[in-house]
Amino acid sequence: MRCLRVLIVNQKGGTGKTTLSVNLSSGFNQRGATVLLDADPQGSASHWAKISRDATDLAPIERVAAGAVQDRLKNLSATHRYVLIDCPPHLDSDLLRQVLSQVDLVLIPIQPSPLDLWASIGMAALVHEAHISHPQLRAYLVLNQIDQRNALSRSLHEALASFELPVLNNGLTRRAAFRNAALEGCSVYRLGNRAASAVNDIEAIIEEVLNL
Ligand SMILES: Nc1ncnc2c1ncn2[C@@H]1O[C@H](COP(=O)(O)OP(=O)(O)O)[C@@H](O)[C@H]1O
Ligand SMILES: [Mg+2]
């Protein structure tokens, strides 16, 4: 059984790494044994899981120092179907390069605003370099906090096209459900009907990456 190792990274803070990590890992956990490595010293994903006393819908979350991610990956990939890694912002570039050589898929959440795009160009270039030396590595930008009322502007499409990395077809819309899940210490799956659209966002991303 092969393990899919997914790194969720952006050296910029607040782009949705933890939101994406926690909800995706919950969806993956419904498909096969999953663990989420929380490599952020701030421990946001771990705090998320502690809010609810009965977080049965969340995948197990394990805190790990960024420098220890590679070792944990080796062990966990033998016993798990999916391992996700929620990265800290300001992750050291050398460490990032090392981890990139050990994962299968990189997801870079990014907000569709010029400031966020500019802030992520350097890191996307680093991921692209890693892809050249490890062609089996797949890497995608994932749009987050998409405004459901407005289509992406043409200038934004042009800015996205200037990245050397492709954009996943599916992204996350800005929805209260994503904030509420964090407030309640659960995933959007647990929120029932009021989060159906948010669940659809997450499921669409999972199905897209499983079919890459
Ligand atoms: N799709 C979304 N819709 C609504 N709020 C979101 C969405 N994605 C992230 N957020 C909110 O944005 C903030 C930053 O997200 P977070 O996942 O903590 O980013 P990061 O881990 O990259 O720092 C949080 O308050 C989170 O609840
Ligand atoms: Mg985070």
Side-chain angles (χ1 to χ4, degrees):
M1 182 186 68
R2 250 187 60 55
C3 176
L4 181 70
R5 300 159 298 180
V6 187
L7 187 71
I8 294 112
V9 68
N10 192 327
Q11 285 165 319
K12 188 179 188 311
T15 65
K17 293 178 287 298
T18 301
T19 301
L20 194 60
S21 298
V22 169
N23 288 295
L24 280 183
S25 60
S26 178
F28 276 120
N29 200 34
Q30 294 166 30
R31 293 163 165 85
T34 301
V35 64
L36 172 60
L37 292 180
D38 177 8
D40 186 347
Q42 288 186 342
S44 321
S46 311
H47 289 305
W48 186 321
K50 275 187 204 133
I51 296 171
S52 152
R53 253 182 267 153
D54 151 43
T56 46
D57 61 314
L58 297 183
I61 300 177
E62 182 183 315
R63 284 189 82 160
V64 58
V69 164
Q70 295 185 77
D71 272 352
R72 283 310 282 147
L73 267 180
K74 275 184 202 132
N75 292 324
L76 292 169
S77 54
T79 48
H80 288 73
R81 183 71 188 85
Y82 306 103
V83 181
L84 285 79
I85 307 150
D86 181 19
C87 287
H90 312 301
L91 178 63
D92 173 75
S93 294
D94 285 333
L95 204 54
L96 174 56
R97 276 191 199 92
Q98 291 169 26
V99 175
L100 284 171
S101 69
Q102 291 200 342
V103 297
D104 307 291
L105 176 65
V106 183
L107 298 179
I108 302 174
I110 198 168
Q111 294 189 37
S113 86
L115 289 171
D116 277 61
L117 290 172
W118 295 330
S120 306
I121 284 178
M123 197 214 35
L126 190 155
V127 172
H128 181 65
E129 265 171 46
H131 169 71
I132 292 171
S133 35
H134 309 284
Q136 74 285 1
L137 175 69
R138 289 159 299 165
Y140 292 85
L141 302 174
V142 183
L143 295 180
N144 183 25
Q145 304 238 28
I146 300 167
D147 186 341
Q148 52 192 331
R149 288 162 309 177
N150 299 324
L152 295 189
S153 69
R154 204 178 81 190
S155 55
L156 212 55
H157 276 293
E158 283 167 8
L160 285 168
S162 71
F163 279 82
E164 283 165 307
L165 299 177
V167 185
L168 271 195
N169 292 328
N170 294 285
L172 299 185
T173 301
R174 182 185 299 131
R175 300 183 193 280
F178 287 111
R179 286 173 197 274
N180 291 339
L183 284 169
E184 296 179 30
C186 64
S187 73
V188 289
Y189 292 90
R190 185 74 176 271
L191 296 177
N193 282 345
R194 62 192 164 127
S197 307
V199 169
N200 286 344
D201 285 357
I202 293 292
E203 283 288 310
I205 292 177
I206 293 177
E207 287 305 317
E208 184 174 357
V209 303
L210 289 179
N211 289 302
L212 287 173

